[in-house]
Every structure is written in C-alpha cells, then in structure tokens.
Amino acid sequence: MSSARLDLKSLRKSFGPTDVLADINLSVQPSEFVSILGPSGAGKSTILQLLTGAIAPDGGQMLLDGQPLTPTQHRFAFMPQGDALMPWRRIIDNATLGLEVQGLGRQAARARVSPLFAEFGLAGFENHYPVQLSGGMRQRAALLRTVVQQRPMLLLDEPFGALDALTRAHMQRWLADMWTRHRWTVLLITHDVREAVLLSERIYVLSARPARVAHHFQVPLNHPRHSVGSPELAALEAQILQTLLNPED
Amino acid sequence: MSNTALPRLCARFFRHAGPAIASVSALILGWEAYVQLSGISPTALPAPSRIIAQGFEQREALARHTIATLQATTFGFASSLTAAFLFSILIDFFRSLRRALFPVFIITQTLPLVAIAPLIVLWFGFGLPPKIVLVALVTFFPMLVALAQGYEATDRNISALLASMGASRWRIFVMARLPSALPYFFAGLRISITYAVVGAIFAEYAGAARGLGIYILNAKNNFRPDLVLAAVFVSATLTLLLFGATVLLQRAAMPWARLTEARP
C-alpha cells in the first residue's frame, strides 16, 4: 500500500467528551474514486476537516503520497457542502478563487480558467453572477473552481445534497463522465447510496458514532453505469443499504 | 436609450411613487383647507401656502443654513463611518476587545441628547467640531452593530473553502467577511443617515453660528412658525435626498442583489 495517494491509519478525533472518530483506516490510490458513506452525524465531514487542516486529529496518521500531512500544507482541492459560490463574484471570478489565493494575478487566473468553461457546460456564463445560474450549473461552477487548483486530490463533501432529485441524477452522470475522462483522485463524502455506487470504484461504509469503517465494498462495474434498470447496480445498492440499516448484522 | 424606455421608466416611477405622492398631497391639501376654513391665526398654524411663500422669500438664508447643516452631517457621518469600520475590524479579530468595548458603546447610546448636546457645545465651542461629535455619537453604534452582524453572517462554507485553499485570516476577512457584510452595512447606512441629520440639527439647536437648528430656534423665538416649518421641510427634503443617495449607492455596489436566474 506504499503507492497510495492518501492513507489514513487509526485516525481518532473527539470533541470534548464526544468520540466522533474511533478508528478510521482507509486509503485512496492515485486516479481512484472513493466514497465514504455513513449515517448522518457519523463524522464524515470531520474526516474532511482533518484533511483540510481545519482541525487536528487526536491520534493516528494521515499520509499523502507516503508523507505525513501537516496543518499548514494545503494539498487538497476541497468542495464544501452546498456550492459555496461567492454571490458577489462573477462565475469566472469564483472559478479563479483558488488560483488567486495561491498568488496568481486575476488576469492570469482568468486566462487559465476560461478554456475550461465549455467542458463544464458553462460557456457564455463567465460574466454571470451565481444567483443567475440554476442549481446544476452552480454545482458545475463549484467543481470547476475545485479542479483548477490542480491539487493532487479532490475532496467533495456531499456536493449534490442541495439539488432536486432529477438535477442530482443528471449531475451524478455528468460527474461520472468527467471522472472517466480526467481520472482525478477523488474522495467523496455522501449519504446517498446510489450516488456512491454510481460514481465510486470503492466505498467505505462508516458505523454510527464513534465512527470506524464498518464495511468496505468494491464496485466491479465499468463506466458508464446506467442508473436505471441495471441489476448489478441495484443489487449492490441493496446490499449497502442493508448494512447501513442493520449495522449489527 | 430606445424611444420606449423613457415612458416605461416614467410609468414604473409612478407605479412605485404614486401612492406616496397621493398621500402626501392629500395631507397638505387637507391642512391648507383646514387653515383657510377655520380662520386659525397664522402664528399658531400657518397654511402650507404661506410656509412655501415665506420659505421662498427666505431662500438665501435657508440655503446658507442648510449648507452648514449638510457640512456638519457629512463630516460627522464620515468620521463616524471611519471609526465604526476600524472598530468593527478590531472587534472581529479580537473577541475580548468586543466584550470590553461594547458596554461602553451601549452606554453612549443611553445618553439623553437634551443633556449631552449643550455640554458638547460647551466643550467644543460653536463651530463645526461639536456637531461632528454629536452626529458621530448617534450614528457610530448603529453602524458598528450593522458591520459586526454582517461579518457574522458570512457563509461558513465559504470561510472553510478559503481556509482549505490556504488563505490567511486577514485574506478570509477581506475576501469573504467584508463582502458578506455589505447588505447589513447598507441597512445600517440607511437608518444612520437619517439619525445623522437629526443629530446635526440638534447640535445646532444647542448653540451654533449657522445651521438649520439655530435657524429654527431663532424663528421660534421670533414667533414665526411658518419659518420653523419651512426649515423643517428643508431638513426633511435633505434627509430624503441622502436616503435616496444611499439606495443608489447600494445598487451600484451590489449589482448581483437585484438579479434573478437567467434563462440560457
């Protein structure tokens, strides 16, 4: 496992008397799409906070490409819940946010980002404000803002949670499509079993708090996976849902 | 502008302002009719027509005093805004400072203006400084609270995002907290600008060489309620104009606030 992009070993975290993460062991290989599924309140987002350096772990190891993570490193491109677009910035200036924080000038950052608008289905909307875009477009803009940072790994925190069911299904297919083309290394947090099955190569299922990895699933299916009527997908989805609903089995 | 745009703009203006124009006109007409029909003495209640005529005759004096009041309002409000902005940043970065200073600021809001205005004139004289101090005193705290509340309204996800990108605390403040406070800032500005005019007139009333406040005091002492009301009318107009200016400023500063989803 020395070739893992991300390796978490015996990761622990408590907030005061509350143990949130008891023992988290997981790994993500380069160009792999991995999901973490778990009941709400299980500490899924806490794992991302630990990775982005917002909080420090109480124990365990976090290794990126074999090197321990330090809080001052910012090696991940993080997409928070919702879209977190700044309402006062035009879409292009939202997309360049990470590059600007990295110290790139506004013009240079725009030049780097503009060619990607077409692929993200946002061509012609560069100078619109977020409020003028539909929910799906906003999510695509947020993902664009995430990938242009060119970090070794993407962290997505329930990216489609706020969308209506139909838009969410569209966005999941779109993201699966984008991933097969770009092969980003992705860690996705979700509580949507179908989303995890549609998008991931491997799925970690967390137990209730204090969280440990309760189950680990491989998704042995090739992209594109059709969300409607595939018996393999449905079977895997049912199996994962079963483990989530009956954690003691 | 196309030839249909101007009539449409006028139509929109009257649709919005029409009811207000109608109610104010009805009030003035009713007042005029009452004075004409009841035969009440003009030294008790002057008719609007008399107020307008006398005010027009006194236009040069009124203009001179209005400029003085506008000056006091502008300088006082500008210093108050600057101070509120600086303190809002300080208390956003140092929480203990907030706990130390807020009680002091709240106490300044409990001071009765009637008592404090003559004292401030006593300490600072009859020139511009006491007006600036009094205007700042009444507008500083509302602006500070608006800004502090605005920073707190920042979307946590946006702050977390910037932190994950490696942005410093100051960078997060400038890129996220400051723009998030804009709607709160303008709400505070609209309220404070009206306080500012009242504060300036009050300071002048307590003692001044020039200003609408001292004009009102003199007119009252000369038994000229028509001129008192003419000055009141001017100050109300001044306040409305300043209020309108803040609305226009907000539109210019927050162009996204009036937009809705565009259809591709």
Side-chain angles (χ1 to χ4, degrees):
Chain A
M1 293 294 274
S2 60
S3 65
R5 172 61 43 87
L6 180 72
D7 213 349
L8 304 184
K9 291 178 178 166
S10 317
L11 200 60
R12 281 190 297 109
K13 180 68 190 172
S14 342
F15 292 108
T18 317
D19 290 333
V20 178
L21 302 178
D23 181 21
I24 300 295
N25 293 284
L26 65 82
S27 64
V28 181
Q29 304 301 313
S31 299
E32 195 181 24
F33 198 123
V34 172
S35 292
I36 299 179
L37 263 174
S40 45
K44 301 188 292 290
S45 295
T46 307
I47 296 175
L48 293 192
Q49 286 179 305
L50 288 168
L51 290 175
T52 57
I55 52 175
D58 295 334
Q61 269 191 306
M62 301 189 288
L63 302 174
L64 186 77
D65 292 323
Q67 301 296 313
L69 277 175
T70 58
T72 49
Q73 283 180 318
H74 298 281
R75 307 295 310 280
F76 300 102
F78 171 52
M79 180 169 165
Q81 282 182 27
D83 52 51
L85 294 172
M86 296 177 167
W88 54 87
R89 280 182 170 234
R90 296 172 191 277
I91 294 301
I92 182 127
D93 297 324
N94 265 292
T96 58
L97 191 67
L99 300 175
E100 278 182 54
V101 172
Q102 286 174 30
L104 210 62
R106 193 170 261 212
Q107 289 313 316
R110 282 184 177 182
R112 175 107 68 93
V113 172
S114 328
L116 299 169
F117 268 70
E119 195 187 356
F120 279 74
L122 294 166
F125 287 87
E126 289 86 346
N127 290 318
H128 283 61
Y129 285 99
V131 70
Q132 295 176 284
L133 268 56
S134 68
M137 295 180 87
R138 293 174 61 117
Q139 293 300 328
R140 291 202 293 269
L143 193 74
L144 173 58
R145 176 191 62 201
T146 313
V147 302
V148 294
Q149 297 175 52
Q150 298 191 311
R151 300 293 192 189
M153 190 170 166
L154 310 185
L155 306 177
L156 313 181
D157 191 0
E158 297 186 15
F160 308 133
L163 299 177
D164 65 88
L166 195 60
T167 311
R168 191 186 312 152
H170 277 298
M171 288 300 295
Q172 286 162 352
R173 285 182 173 205
W174 176 80
L175 181 56
D177 209 42
M178 290 293 277
W179 180 78
T180 38
R181 239 180 299 158
H182 294 275
R183 295 280 162 172
W184 300 306
T185 310
V186 182
L187 184 63
L188 171 81
I189 300 281
T190 183
H191 53 230
D192 182 341
V193 178
R194 177 163 300 169
E195 181 167 290
V197 172
L198 271 175
L199 293 168
S200 330
E201 294 179 286
R202 287 189 299 118
I203 300 170
Y204 289 95
V205 178
L206 298 188
S207 67
R209 215 167 56 202
R212 51 188 82 237
V213 175
H215 291 272
H216 176 213
F217 293 92
Q218 298 274 345
V219 185
L221 300 168
N222 290 325
H223 286 284
R225 301 168 186 166
H226 294 292
S227 61
V228 187
S230 154
E232 295 97 329
L233 274 186
L236 188 59
E237 199 183 321
Q239 195 189 345
I240 295 174
L241 207 55
Q242 185 70 21
T243 64
L244 275 168
L245 293 172
N246 304 297
E248 302 310 317
D249 292 359
Chain B
M1 193 177 275
S2 71
N3 2 330
T4 56
L6 192 64
R8 217 185 303 143
L9 211 65
C10 287
R12 233 188 65 191
F13 173 77
F14 279 108
R15 201 167 55 245
H16 284 282
I21 293 171
S23 65
V24 171
S25 309
L27 195 74
I28 292 174
L29 284 175
W31 177 357
E32 182 77 36
Y34 174 77
V35 172
Q36 300 297 345
L37 296 175
S38 68
I40 190 169
S41 153
T43 53
L45 181 68
S49 56
R50 185 186 168 88
I51 295 168
I52 292 166
Q54 292 301 310
F56 187 73
E57 209 149 277
Q58 290 269 323
R59 61 187 180 279
E60 271 173 34
L62 271 172
R64 200 172 60 242
H65 290 287
T66 304
I67 286 166
T69 301
L70 190 59
Q71 239 175 10
T73 307
T74 317
F75 284 126
F77 200 49
S79 13
S80 162
L81 272 185
T82 312
F85 184 58
L86 293 177
F87 272 102
S88 74
I89 296 172
L90 278 177
I91 63 174
D92 198 60
F93 277 81
F94 306 103
R95 291 298 146 128
S96 53
L97 208 60
R98 183 192 191 117
R99 282 190 291 276
L101 291 179
F102 251 60
V104 179
F105 296 147
I106 292 170
I107 289 168
T108 66
Q109 296 305 292
T110 65
L111 303 174
L113 281 188
V114 197
I116 208 77
L119 283 177
I120 289 177
V121 171
L122 188 70
W123 298 331
F124 292 94
F126 288 91
L128 203 52
K131 284 89 182 170
I132 292 176
V133 171
L134 211 75
V135 170
L137 197 69
V138 290
T139 56
F140 170 76
F141 189 68
M143 286 315 302
L144 183 75
V145 171
L147 284 168
Q149 211 177 350
Y151 302 148
E152 289 305 311
T154 308
D155 182 348
R156 282 164 188 277
N157 284 325
I158 292 180
S159 310
L161 173 69
L162 282 168
S164 81
M165 291 169 169
S168 65
R169 206 172 156 201
W170 174 250
R171 197 92 196 257
I172 293 175
F173 179 82
V174 173
M175 290 182 102
R177 293 179 79 79
L178 204 54
S180 297
L182 274 177
Y184 292 80
F185 169 77
F186 281 109
L189 196 68
R190 282 201 297 273
I191 298 171
S192 299
I193 198 83
T194 61
Y195 290 177
V197 178
V198 175
I201 290 177
F202 210 99
E204 291 159 0
Y205 200 86
R210 268 197 308 280
L212 285 173
I214 198 70
Y215 185 86
I216 289 170
L217 185 67
N218 289 336
K220 188 204 78 170
N221 290 342
N222 292 324
F223 304 103
R224 291 295 302 274
D226 50 345
L227 293 181
V228 171
L229 288 169
V232 167
F233 177 77
V234 170
S235 89
T237 309
L238 185 65
T239 309
L240 280 177
L241 287 177
L242 290 173
F243 188 92
T246 64
V247 173
L248 290 181
L249 197 65
Q250 178 168 17
R251 286 189 185 181
M254 301 174 54
W256 63 90
R258 280 152 47 80
L259 298 172
T260 48
E261 192 176 316
R263 289 279 135 221

